[in-house]
Amino acid sequence: MDLRAHGKSGGGDGAWTFAGVVADVAAVVEECGIAGAFVVGHSLGGMVAACCAEELEGTPGAVNLDGHGMGRPEQYVGMERGYVVRRLEEVREFAEAAMGRPLPEGGLDGVLAYHALMAEELGIERELMEAGVRRGIGETPDGQVYLRPERVAGLGMQEAMAEIDLFGLYRRLRRPLLIGRALRPNPSTPGMPWVDEMMAAYVKGLHADLDELARTQPWVEVAGVDATHAMLLERPREVADLVLGFVARVAEGKAGASRAS
């Protein structure tokens, strides 16, 4: 399913909250007649899946594939807190300024060209990357195009991601959750050379926290995927096997013993 305000789903002009999106998932599960389904999500969808593991009635477990957000300042190992806070605010302001805004003339071609270069760097089929971009294109009444989510929903989404305490949620869980983490860094961000340094520091802190989580929380498993954040396109078979193995263990009643890799 496309989350609200993404892809072909509605909800672009209303509030965006994790509780609201969990309710959306519940509605889809009911409409499709698949009560008891596992919820699997990637990136923002992975964060939603983790929420479903706690809140969605009837789900036996969930999978969060590399959905961590920007984390907490203290997770940026070796970096001064004030610097991290300022940079994270800069990233958020940049995202909010562009959110829901019509692209300039030729802007879509530029976006597609950037993603084509990324696809080549990561060994992903260009057509797959382009299809993902095009699925998220919206159009204004006067024919201008923009990248979803719409501004109202997007601002709410940014706020929700900044406020959610994922690790607090993980520690509360009483249903099996698999967390898949990317083991390779993302491609560099053009025009923002400091991002690579920040992300390297964040990954150190995030992985340390995930290792501790796997050691101490009986309902949580953590597994590495030899890929960047684009793991679904880079390693589809590996990710599918990871998810299916987890589902099989839960079905057999063997989930609950945490592991980290």
Side-chain angles (χ1 to χ4, degrees):
M1 57 176 282
D2 290 339
L3 299 183
R4 62 171 61 189
H6 290 75
K8 302 302 180 184
S9 285
D13 297 324
W16 202 106
T17 65
F18 280 105
V21 179
V22 169
D24 294 341
V25 176
V28 171
V29 167
E30 181 177 0
E31 178 67 22
C32 293
I34 49 174
F38 285 77
V39 181
V40 182
H42 169 252
S43 195
L44 173 62
M47 299 168 74
V48 172
C51 292
C52 288
E54 180 179 41
E55 301 173 18
L56 186 62
E57 183 177 351
T59 186
V63 181
N64 174 357
L65 297 170
D66 215 40
H68 311 299
M70 297 300 291
R72 308 181 309 276
E74 58 269 25
Q75 288 178 299
Y76 290 73
V77 175
M79 305 192 84
E80 193 269 325
R81 178 185 176 87
Y83 173 81
V84 173
V85 171
R86 289 193 300 274
R87 285 301 197 185
L88 290 179
E89 184 62 28
E90 184 176 340
V91 170
R92 184 170 177 176
E93 289 175 355
F94 177 81
E96 290 179 355
M99 195 168 292
R101 302 295 190 193
L103 296 171
E105 185 176 353
L108 180 57
D109 291 337
V111 170
L112 293 174
Y114 168 72
H115 281 82
L117 289 173
M118 186 183 298
E120 183 177 358
E121 183 174 347
L122 297 177
I124 299 169
E125 291 184 21
R126 176 175 177 168
E127 292 77 12
L128 284 177
M129 191 73 87
E130 180 172 329
V133 174
R134 290 191 179 279
R135 187 171 182 83
I137 293 174
E139 186 172 334
T140 65
D142 60 357
Q144 297 184 83
V145 298
Y146 62 92
L147 301 180
R148 301 192 79 199
E150 286 76 7
R151 188 162 184 80
V152 172
L155 293 177
M157 182 185 73
Q158 290 274 41
E159 184 175 351
M161 291 175 66
E163 292 180 352
I164 191 171
D165 178 9
L166 279 176
F167 280 83
L169 186 159
Y170 297 151
R171 288 188 286 269
R172 296 192 302 268
L173 284 181
R174 295 300 179 268
R175 290 177 182 158
L177 174 72
L178 171 65
I179 301 173
R181 60 179 174 192
L183 298 180
R184 289 196 279 117
N186 292 327
S188 297
T189 303
M192 304 173 80
W194 47 267
V195 170
D196 291 347
E197 180 186 11
M198 282 195 65
M199 289 300 98
Y202 175 42
V203 165
K204 288 181 182 178
L206 175 65
H207 284 197
D209 287 347
L210 289 174
D211 288 342
E212 176 65 17
L213 184 75
R215 285 193 297 268
T216 59
Q217 300 303 310
W219 295 101
V220 179
E221 295 184 19
V222 179
V225 179
D226 183 26
T228 69
H229 186 64
M231 59 174 62
L232 295 183
L233 300 179
E234 293 177 278
R235 298 285 188 272
R237 184 70 261 170
E238 181 180 342
V239 172
D241 288 343
L242 190 67
V243 172
L244 292 172
F246 170 74
V247 169
R249 289 193 299 279
V250 173
E252 295 171 3
K254 296 180 180 179
S258 298
R259 64 184 179 88
S261 62

